[in-house]
């Protein structure tokens, strides 16, 4: 007899048996020596129908053979797969990874072992590698041919059409019919031929990788996807079939599911001879008895099914591999079987951390010689992997602009793309074109326009110019007065501000003049109100830099009278007051631009295309708010100067007068600025969401967005949540070309209650949100994340309760897709997802920036609030920093701009666009320890999982400023901080 028991505690292990064998290795330990002795050759049938022979020591455990197959395929996510074979009783069983091979495969010469998918995740986007999705697609193709994956004719035809697209490419009716005559993908295929050909016509331009993605998207919605039926009888003797899935135990009658027992309901699984037993948790509302009993064909058949149930529970439900229990001294009772290997969570974490190299693979059945999809890469490749990849790939800054070593300092990785998006390490993020010899990495989704927001900024560590101590002498000649470095901050941030103004006055205006997409009234509202600002601040910057040159003694007039900045600030702030009329117009310009985009598809496409240009490194409407934000920066600088200078200082009176002037201007514009920031954020979120129409309405305020896990019948599934002052939305990442987020549900806040429910559900950091019409259970990634959500949701509920009446129905759905009726039927009929969520066709989506805070929060499993955004607006900084990697020797000098929770890297301040960027949400900011052997002053350290970067500032003041602003991005604000922060802004 074998049995396992689940106790109602967090992290319970349903798959942990009483007696277990050897343990698998913790990551980082050295593997044990491979068992020596006689080698045995074992034939493995692959998913592409080829056969390979592998020689392994016959006394080696099964894991050695599975690892050999995965290594042969260069398969990183091999944990989803297994080896099955007929045992000596002709029962198909899975190879036990802990038992010696010789004890399982008695006559290896006469046995063919099949390499197949063992664990089918609920969502194929959890498969991070293109190779893994290709193998899953082959499994779907095999299941169709064998009649395992049953579905209606429309779904079958649509599935086959994607297979055909992957194998022969774009539609050609004669070629299609010839190919279908030679290849049988499903029994009774002839009756579906016309429908297959019709569907195939719709896939023109789709790459094999995109075909795999779409194939899995359709297949995963089918009830029989990944189902392996095991014949049994119930207590009444009725013939049924049992199956196990990621959600729990399923019961079928024929091919119809008649019951399901979720893992959360199952307390214990066991078998006694031929009887398979499921012990359920007590439930007053359930009509089922405490223990369910099913009779199977034999003890071996029953035990085989029990084992696969144990493995499914452990793989999908546990955070880590169950530890082996100590063997009893005298005798053992029950089976010693246990799950061996990484759980799904461990696999996802490993791939996201990038602990592997990207490799090419060959599609055996495809005639299309396509390069790998240049798509969104979910992994965070570590520095070592990227640095190795740089030896075979580099890009240039521009025509003929190369580094002294003959190579470019362009950011370069194993995942080079020609993407127009600025991501954490995009190759020039927007301008680089991948050379023909570059090995391209696998993609997360069939998106040829995206790069990941999660790759480290390696600006070619081997080729870029270095500086260890060449600046040391010049640095020592700098004035040591703190006021000098405050004045220098005015200069460095003014350079960035001017570049931001040029995005509108130069780049955007130039592009508008070439296209007739913008109405004259809108042009006259935007550009005449930005050009005077650009002209004024160009002169302001010149005056500041001239003063700094005198202060540093770079001219003949090295006298103490020039070691001040207050007079320059006072003169120019008084000049700014004459520009106030233009500043008042900026909020009007922002509203007019967004209204124009809403009413004109042409203007919308024009603005989205401009956002994809290299210079537009932030959302376009953000630049329209820059002049308002800049006033706050001047105020902060002057506050620091007034605090630093004693009243007797020669510069104190001018600084105080300038502070009074700028404080008055900020106070006048503050209300407008708060309103416009919310307006801008709603419009930015609107671009990230699909399935909604009326997100931006008067009175709606954004509060928080972030990643939470939603508990459902399928287990914990990652969802993005968006909290507003009247409603809470939850979404999943969609399948559009831009990876937007599809709304699945909405909970009005009026009448909602929130309660912690870790004990009830056995899930850490778990909350139950009870609405008037719907309740959901969610889990945060940490205690601090849960507390932030509780605080903000409760505040929003209180606000909603104080409103005069319940909020009306919140979001209207987007217009329906222009799908053909058959395709819509195939996609929808057998869906297990929320069918009320609208679907938006891939073709309709405009290109979209892939490194927004929504995507960063999704990948880093964190959240960010509107208060965080407001604080980030104040904490902007620019300047030179020296940067060093964890394993490199020298330091690289870079111009770094911090804004929008992100570090943007430039070769120099004169560059028009960044080379790479590093979103900081989730990163930790610390000081290097003695053991790290940095031995330099003013060094801070940024690290996230395996990514470690050191940055070196030029002075104590700049070091403290960088620490201050970066901490604001790496440490999310609490609600208490919000209130005190808002109070401090009242002048």
């Amino acid at each position: 007899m074998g049995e396992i028991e689940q106790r109602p505690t967090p992290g319970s292990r349903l798959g942990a048996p009483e007696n277990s064998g050897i343990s698998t290795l913790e990551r980082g330990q050295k593997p044990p020596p491979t068992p020596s002795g006689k080698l045995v050759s074992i034939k493995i049938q692959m998913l592409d129908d080829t056969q390979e022979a592998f020689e392994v020591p016959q006394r080696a455990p099964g894991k050695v053979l599975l690892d050999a197959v995965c290594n042969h395929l260069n398969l990183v996510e091999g944990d989803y797969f297994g080896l099955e074979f007929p045992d000596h009783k002709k029962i198909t069983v899975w190879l036990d990874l802990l038992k010696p091979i010789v004890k399982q495969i008695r006559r290896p010469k006469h046995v063919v072992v099949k390499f197949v998918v063992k664990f089918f995740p609920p969502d194929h986007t959890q498969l991070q590698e293109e190779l893994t999705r290709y193998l899953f697609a082959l499994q779907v193709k095999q299941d169709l041919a064998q009649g395992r994956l049953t579905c209606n004719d429309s779904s079958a035809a649509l599935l086959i059409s994607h297979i055909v697209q992957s194998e022969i490419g774009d539609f050609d009716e004669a070629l299609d019919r010839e190919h279908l005559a030679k290849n049988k993908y499903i029994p009774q295929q002839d009756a579906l031929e016309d429908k297959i050909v019709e569907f195939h016509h719709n896939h023109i331009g789709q790459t094999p990788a995109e075909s795999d993605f779409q194939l899995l998207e359709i297949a995963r919605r089918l009830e029989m996807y990944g189902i392996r039926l095991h014949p049994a009888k119930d207590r009444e003797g009725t013939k049924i079939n049992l199956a196990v899935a990621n959600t729990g135990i399923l019961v079928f009658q024929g091919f119809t599911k008649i019951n399901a027992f979720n893992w959360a309901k199952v307390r214990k699984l066991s078998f006694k001879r031929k009887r398979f037993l499921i012990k359920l948790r007590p439930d007053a509302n359930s009509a089922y008895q405490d223990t369910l009993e099913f009779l199977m064909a034999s003890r071996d058949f029953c035990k085989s099914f029990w084992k696969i149930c144990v493995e499914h529970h452990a793989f999908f439900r546990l955070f880590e591999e169950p530890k082996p229990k100590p063997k009893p001294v005298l005798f053992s009772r029950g089976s010693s079987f246990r799950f061996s290997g990484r759980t799904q969570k461990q696999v996802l974490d490993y791939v996201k951390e990038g602990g592997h190299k990207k490799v090419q693979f060959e599609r055996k059945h495809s005639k299309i010689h396509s390069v790998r999809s240049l798509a969104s890469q979910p992994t965070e490749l570590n520095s070592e992997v990227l640095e190795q990849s740089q030896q075979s790939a580099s890009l240039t800054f521009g025509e003929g602009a190369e580094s002294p070593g003959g190579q470019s300092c362009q950011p370069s990785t194993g995942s080079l793309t020609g993407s127009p998006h600025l991501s954490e390490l995009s190759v020039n993020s927007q301008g680089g074109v991948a050379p023909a010899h570059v090995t391209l990495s696998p993609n997360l989704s069939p998106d040829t326009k995206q790069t990941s927001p999660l790759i480290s900024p390696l600006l070619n560590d081997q080729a870029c110019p270095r500086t260890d101590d060449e600046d040391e002498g010049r640095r020592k000649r700098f004035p040591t007065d703190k006021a000098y470095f405050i004045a220098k901050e005015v200069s460095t941030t003014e350079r960035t501000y001017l570049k931001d103004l040029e995005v509108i006055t130069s780049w955007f205006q130039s592009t508008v003049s070439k296209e007739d997409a913008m109405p004259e009234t809108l042009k006259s509202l935007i550009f005449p109100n930005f050009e005077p600002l650009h002209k004024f601040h160009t002169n302001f910057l010149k005056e500041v830099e001239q003063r700094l040159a005198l202060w540093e003694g770079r001219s003949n007039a090295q006298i103490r009278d020039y070691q001040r900045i207050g007079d320059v600030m006072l003169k120019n702030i008084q000049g700014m007051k004459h520009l106030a009329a233009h500043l008042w117009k900026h909020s009007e310009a922002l509203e007019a631009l967004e209204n124009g985009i809403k009413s004109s598809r042409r203007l919308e496409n024009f603005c989205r295309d401009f956002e994809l240009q290299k210079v537009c490194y932030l959302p376009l409407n953000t630049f329209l708010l820059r002049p308002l934000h800049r006033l706050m920066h001047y105020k902060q600088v002057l506050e620091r100067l007034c605090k630093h200078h004693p009243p007797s200082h020669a510069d104190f009176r001018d600084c105080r007068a300038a502070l009074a002037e700028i404080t008055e201007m900020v106070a006048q514009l503050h209300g407008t600025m708060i309103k416009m920031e919310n307006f801008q954020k709603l419009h930015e979120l609107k671009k990230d969401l699909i399935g909604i129409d009326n997100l931006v309405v008067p009175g709606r305020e954004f509060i928080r967005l972030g990643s939470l896990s939603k508990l459902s019948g399928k287990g914990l599934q990652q969802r993005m949540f968006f909290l507003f002052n009247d409603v809470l939305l939850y979404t999943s990442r969609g399948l559009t070309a831009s990876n937007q987020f599809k709304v699945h549900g909405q909970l009005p806040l009026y009448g909602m209650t929130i309660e912690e429910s870790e004990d009830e559900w056995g899930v850490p950091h778990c909350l139950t949100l009870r609405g008037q019409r719907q309740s959901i259970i969610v889990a945060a990634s940490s205690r601090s994340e849960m507390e932030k959500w509780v605080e903000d949701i409760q505040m929003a509920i209180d606000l909603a309760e104080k409103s005069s009446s319940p909020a009306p129905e919140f979001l209207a759905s987007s217009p329906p897709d222009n799908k053909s009726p058959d395709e819509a039927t195939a996609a929808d009929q057998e869906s297990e997802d929320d069918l009320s969520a609208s679907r938006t066709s891939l073709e309709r989506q405009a290109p979209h920036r892939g490194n927004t805070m929504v995507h960063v929060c999704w990948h880093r499993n964190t959240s960010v609030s509107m208060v965080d955004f407001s604080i980030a607006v104040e904490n902007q900084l620019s300047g030179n920093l020296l940067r060093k990697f964890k394993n490199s020797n020298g330091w690289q000098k870079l111009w770094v701009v911090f804004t929008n929770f992100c570090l943007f890297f430039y070769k120099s301040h004169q560059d028009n666009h960044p080379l790479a960027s590093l979103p900081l949400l989730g990163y930790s900011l610390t000081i290097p320890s003695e053991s790290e052997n940095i031995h330099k002053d003013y060094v801070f350290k940024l690290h996230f999982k395996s990514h470690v970067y050191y940055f070196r500032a030029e002075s104590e003041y700049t070091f403290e400023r960088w620490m201050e602003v970066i901490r604001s991005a790496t440490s999310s604000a609490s609600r208490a901080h919000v209130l005190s922060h808002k109070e401090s802004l009242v002048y």
Side-chain angles (χ1 to χ4, degrees):
M1 167 189 158
E3 63 180 36
I4 51 176
E5 181 167 355
Q6 181 183 20
R7 293 182 174 85
T9 56
S12 60
R13 289 176 173 155
L14 182 59
E18 293 175 4
N19 301 306
S20 303
I22 63 171
S23 66
T24 51
L25 295 166
E26 296 292 328
R27 194 172 302 150
Q29 292 180 345
K30 291 184 178 179
T34 304
S36 57
K38 183 179 178 182
L39 294 176
V40 59
S41 179
I42 298 177
K43 294 189 288 288
I44 306 289
Q45 182 171 328
M46 301 295 189
L47 279 162
D48 59 5
D49 297 328
T50 60
Q51 276 195 14
E52 302 280 351
F54 292 85
E55 286 194 340
V56 292
Q58 63 178 2
R59 295 193 178 278
K63 189 176 189 312
V64 171
L65 180 58
L66 180 61
D67 287 348
V69 177
C70 293
N71 290 336
H72 171 73
L73 294 171
N74 289 312
L75 180 61
V76 175
E77 297 172 298
D79 309 75
Y80 289 102
F81 299 82
L83 298 169
E84 65 176 15
F85 64 97
D87 68 3
H88 62 287
K89 295 183 181 179
K90 304 302 179 186
I91 297 172
T92 300
V93 295
W94 293 100
L95 187 72
D96 190 323
L97 300 185
L98 297 178
K99 278 189 178 180
I101 295 170
V102 69
K103 289 189 176 181
Q104 301 182 72
I105 305 176
R106 303 290 173 84
R107 304 174 66 190
K109 288 184 180 179
H110 304 283
V111 173
V112 175
V113 178
K114 292 182 179 180
F115 176 77
V116 291
V117 176
K118 186 175 187 178
F119 301 112
F120 290 79
D123 184 353
H124 62 103
T125 60
Q126 293 177 313
L127 306 174
Q128 310 286 308
E129 298 278 300
E130 185 186 329
L131 172 57
T132 315
R133 288 193 296 277
Y134 169 58
L135 295 174
F136 266 72
L138 291 179
Q139 184 70 66
V140 168
K141 176 181 169 185
Q142 192 178 100
D143 288 353
L144 273 173
Q146 294 173 356
R148 277 177 165 175
L149 185 57
T150 58
C151 55
N152 62 36
D153 287 351
S154 290
S155 293
L158 189 55
L159 288 166
I160 295 169
S161 70
H162 284 295
I163 296 173
V164 172
Q165 175 71 20
S166 173
E167 294 186 354
I168 66 173
D170 286 345
F171 172 79
D172 179 314
E173 184 163 357
L175 187 61
D176 276 20
R177 295 194 184 276
E178 180 184 347
H179 183 76
L180 289 169
K182 294 178 181 177
N183 298 273
K184 295 298 178 186
Y185 297 105
I186 195 170
Q188 294 84 43
Q189 178 175 297
D190 293 346
L192 300 178
E193 186 171 304
D194 290 343
K195 197 176 284 288
I196 295 169
V197 171
E198 181 185 345
F199 281 142
H200 185 210
H201 186 266
N202 298 328
H203 306 330
I204 291 174
Q206 192 169 282
T207 67
E210 291 170 331
S211 297
D212 292 346
F213 196 88
Q214 297 299 336
L215 178 76
L216 295 177
E217 171 61 16
I218 298 159
R220 77 178 180 96
R221 299 170 182 274
L222 304 179
E223 191 163 74
M224 296 303 293
Y225 173 65
I227 295 301
R228 303 293 180 256
L229 298 177
H230 297 73
K233 292 180 181 178
D234 63 15
R235 277 183 170 170
E236 285 73 41
T238 305
K239 289 184 178 180
I240 49 102
N241 289 304
L242 296 179
V244 61
N246 63 290
T247 55
I249 312 292
L250 311 178
V251 183
F252 287 81
Q253 204 154 40
F255 291 103
T256 304
K257 184 168 70 176
I258 59 173
N259 214 333
F261 302 102
N262 192 285
W263 293 126
K265 298 177 183 176
V266 177
R267 181 167 176 263
K268 184 177 180 181
L269 291 176
S270 61
F271 69 94
K272 293 181 181 178
R273 298 184 178 87
K274 296 192 293 184
R275 290 182 296 148
F276 181 75
L277 306 170
I278 304 175
K279 190 168 186 178
L280 301 176
R281 293 184 183 281
D283 185 356
N285 299 321
S286 175
Y288 296 108
Q289 60 270 39
D290 180 52
T291 302
L292 302 174
E293 185 177 307
F294 301 92
L295 191 67
M296 306 192 86
S298 67
R299 179 188 181 278
D300 289 341
F301 198 83
C302 193
K303 182 178 181 179
S304 175
F305 181 64
W306 173 80
K307 282 184 174 182
I308 191 62
C309 290
V310 170
E311 293 183 310
H312 270 71
H313 174 270
F315 184 76
F316 288 109
R317 291 280 285 186
L318 301 188
F319 287 169
E320 58 186 27
E321 177 189 357
K323 299 289 190 294
K325 289 190 176 181
K327 290 184 178 180
V329 178
L330 298 177
F331 59 88
S332 62
R333 179 175 174 269
S335 172
S336 64
F337 176 77
R338 71 178 178 88
F339 171 75
S340 170
R342 295 181 297 191
T343 65
Q344 186 185 32
K345 184 180 186 302
Q346 288 176 310
V347 176
L348 290 170
D349 289 346
Y350 173 71
V351 179
K352 283 183 178 179
E353 289 175 25
H356 62 284
K357 291 184 180 180
K358 304 296 178 181
V359 294
Q360 283 278 20
F361 67 89
E362 179 185 354
R363 294 173 178 270
K364 293 286 174 65
H365 294 278
S366 180
K367 299 177 183 178
I368 311 302
H369 301 290
S370 65
V371 294
R372 305 288 294 279
S373 296
L374 315 181
S376 173
Q377 179 59 321
T379 60
E380 290 209 68
L381 305 179
N382 66 19
S383 303
E384 292 81 353
V385 174
L386 289 173
E387 287 170 3
Q388 291 166 6
S389 73
Q390 289 161 0
Q391 296 171 2
S392 62
S394 64
L395 298 178
T396 59
F397 279 114
E399 296 179 11
E402 294 188 349
S403 63
Q407 282 184 303
S408 159
C409 297
Q410 192 72 20
S412 158
T413 80
S415 175
L416 300 182
T417 79
S419 167
H421 301 278
L422 181 65
S423 58
E424 188 165 339
L425 172 67
S426 44
V427 184
N428 187 7
S429 271
Q430 295 147 328
V433 179
H437 68 278
V438 174
T439 300
L440 296 164
S441 67
N443 63 324
L444 169 66
S445 65
D447 170 13
T448 60
K449 305 176 184 68
Q450 295 281 343
T451 54
S452 166
L454 297 174
I455 304 175
S456 318
L458 298 178
L459 303 179
N460 202 331
D461 187 39
Q462 290 137 344
C464 274
R466 307 191 161 275
T467 172
D468 284 324
D469 293 302
E470 68 264 27
D471 286 340
E472 206 68 37
R474 190 173 73 85
R475 226 183 273 159
K476 287 175 181 175
R477 293 196 300 271
F478 281 168
T480 56
D481 184 8
K482 180 178 178 180
Y484 163 78
F485 291 105
I486 297 176
K488 192 171 181 182
E489 182 181 329
V490 176
S491 166
T492 56
T493 53
E494 192 73 6
R495 285 173 180 172
T496 297
Y497 176 51
L498 265 180
K499 287 289 183 185
D500 287 350
L501 288 177
E502 286 169 9
V503 171
I504 301 296
T505 61
S506 178
W507 298 94
F508 190 51
Q509 187 168 10
S510 174
T511 310
V512 165
S513 65
K514 296 174 187 174
E515 301 277 347
D516 187 26
M518 183 178 286
E520 288 298 326
T521 52
L522 187 54
K523 290 182 189 176
S524 62
L525 186 57
I526 296 175
F527 303 119
N529 285 302
F530 271 82
E531 287 164 347
L533 292 178
H534 182 266
K535 183 178 179 181
F536 175 86
H537 287 278
T538 300
N539 293 326
F540 179 26
L541 177 60
K542 284 180 184 176
E543 289 187 30
V544 173
E545 291 185 332
Q546 286 169 0
R547 177 57 57 87
L548 285 172
L550 295 173
W551 203 331
E552 292 169 3
R554 285 185 277 145
S555 74
N556 295 326
Q558 187 180 0
I559 56 176
R560 287 190 62 83
D561 187 52
Y562 289 108
Q563 294 184 358
R564 57 197 179 97
I565 195 69
D567 57 329
V568 177
M569 296 292 289
L570 177 59
K571 172 193 167 188
N572 283 279
I573 287 172
Q574 287 172 339
M576 280 179 217
K577 296 185 79 171
H578 300 297
L579 299 173
H582 298 294
L583 294 172
W584 282 108
K585 287 285 187 179
H586 289 171
S587 61
E588 188 181 337
L590 175 59
E591 290 189 16
L593 178 63
E594 292 298 344
N595 289 334
I597 287 171
K598 184 178 180 180
S599 59
S600 168
R601 177 60 61 88
R602 185 178 180 187
L603 180 59
E604 179 185 15
N605 292 334
F606 170 78
C607 291
R608 296 297 82 84
D609 288 344
F610 179 77
E611 282 191 322
L612 301 181
Q613 291 189 27
K614 301 181 238 180
V615 295
C616 194
Y617 66 104
L618 297 171
L620 175 59
N621 55 18
T622 302
F623 293 101
L624 297 179
L625 292 177
R626 278 297 198 244
L628 300 179
H629 295 155
R630 187 59 179 153
L631 299 180
M632 296 169 58
H633 303 155
Y634 295 138
K635 179 175 178 290
Q636 291 174 336
V637 164
L638 287 163
E639 284 173 340
R640 284 195 289 274
L641 280 168
C642 289
K643 187 175 180 181
H644 171 69
H645 289 315
S648 59
H649 194 279
D651 205 26
F652 180 76
R653 180 174 294 180
D654 286 339
C655 288
R656 189 172 61 177
L659 176 59
E661 298 272 11
I662 198 68
T663 298
E664 183 184 350
M665 290 183 70
V666 169
Q668 289 172 352
L669 292 164
H670 182 251
T672 299
M673 186 169 62
I674 295 296
K675 178 184 173 185
M676 286 301 101
E677 283 175 1
N678 182 69
F679 180 80
Q680 184 269 333
K681 187 55 59 184
L682 289 175
H683 277 282
E684 190 178 331
L685 292 178
K686 183 181 174 184
K687 290 185 285 185
D688 279 310
L689 296 170
I690 56 174
I692 58 173
D693 274 344
N694 58 333
L695 182 67
V696 186
V697 295
R700 175 158 299 131
E701 294 181 17
F702 163 68
I703 297 175
R704 180 175 289 276
L705 65 86
S707 170
L708 293 170
S709 296
K710 179 175 175 288
L711 185 62
S712 67
K714 295 181 179 181
L716 285 170
Q717 294 183 304
Q718 187 180 7
R719 294 284 181 259
M720 275 300 292
F721 281 73
F722 298 83
L723 176 64
F724 302 91
N725 62 337
D726 55 351
V727 75
L728 177 67
L729 296 183
Y730 59 92
T731 68
S732 64
R733 192 157 72 161
L735 299 173
T736 66
S738 52
N739 281 335
Q740 288 164 293
F741 288 83
K742 180 175 68 176
V743 175
H744 274 270
Q746 46 189 297
L747 284 79
L749 297 178
Y750 187 87
M752 180 188 285
T753 59
I754 179 172
E755 58 191 57
E756 295 186 27
S757 49
E758 290 187 7
D759 294 339
E760 181 180 354
W761 297 102
V763 177
H765 322 307
C766 183
L767 302 170
T768 300
L769 305 175
R770 302 189 191 280
Q772 291 185 330
R773 290 174 294 176
Q774 180 188 4
S775 296
I776 61 171
I777 299 113
V778 298
S781 59
S782 66
R783 184 78 190 175
S784 63
E785 273 294 302
M786 182 186 78
E787 288 170 353
K788 289 176 204 168
W789 279 105
V790 169
E791 190 176 26
D792 280 355
I793 293 173
Q794 190 59 59
M795 179 200 68
I797 291 172
D798 293 343
L799 291 174
E801 294 291 338
K802 291 174 184 175
S803 64
S804 56
S805 61
E809 195 67 30
F810 172 59
L811 293 172
S813 296
S814 291
D817 303 334
N818 299 320
K819 290 182 180 177
S820 68
D822 289 331
E823 185 174 0
T825 301
D828 294 351
Q829 257 187 359
E830 298 175 61
S831 168
E832 290 186 3
D833 285 347
D834 179 5
L835 295 180
S836 66
S838 72
R839 294 187 177 85
T840 308
S841 66
L842 258 167
E843 293 75 18
R844 287 202 294 125
Q845 291 306 313
H848 181 66
R849 185 180 301 277
N851 71 330
T852 65
M853 282 302 102
V854 180
H855 287 85
V856 175
C857 287
W858 171 265
H859 285 287
R860 303 242 172 110
N861 213 15
T862 186
S863 68
V864 64
S865 72
M866 188 63 208
V867 178
D868 297 320
F869 282 108
S870 296
I871 294 172
V873 161
E874 298 174 34
N875 289 292
Q876 298 187 19
L877 196 58
S878 309
N880 287 310
L881 284 175
L882 299 178
R883 195 275 320 275
K884 189 178 100 69
F885 298 113
K886 180 171 58 176
N887 296 320
S888 64
N889 295 319
W891 295 80
Q892 296 167 272
K893 187 176 181 180
L894 298 168
W895 177 258
V896 182
V897 173
F898 172 77
T899 186
N900 216 35
F901 304 94
C902 196
L903 291 177
F904 293 93
F905 300 94
Y906 301 73
K907 187 180 178 185
S908 81
H909 70 85
Q910 296 169 326
D911 292 352
N912 289 321
H913 55 81
L915 299 170
S917 64
L918 177 63
L920 294 180
L921 286 179
Y923 268 78
S924 296
L925 175 68
T926 57
I927 307 298
S929 63
E930 285 291 327
S931 62
E932 292 171 271
N933 296 318
I934 297 299
H935 307 309
K936 298 288 183 183
D937 293 331
Y938 315 132
V939 175
F940 59 89
K941 172 183 172 183
L942 282 169
H943 53 102
F944 175 76
K945 295 188 177 179
S946 62
H947 308 279
V948 178
Y949 311 104
Y950 301 100
F951 293 92
R952 188 169 147 209
E954 65 181 3
S955 70
E956 183 179 1
Y957 171 78
T958 52
F959 167 78
E960 289 173 353
R961 284 290 292 134
W962 280 107
M963 290 283 285
E964 180 184 351
V965 298
I966 290 175
R967 191 174 286 117
S968 72
T970 56
S971 304
S972 186
S974 69
R975 179 57 48 190
H977 186 172
V978 181
L979 298 175
S980 64
H981 168 72
K982 286 198 171 180
E983 286 168 7
S984 70
L985 291 177
V986 178
Y987 306 103

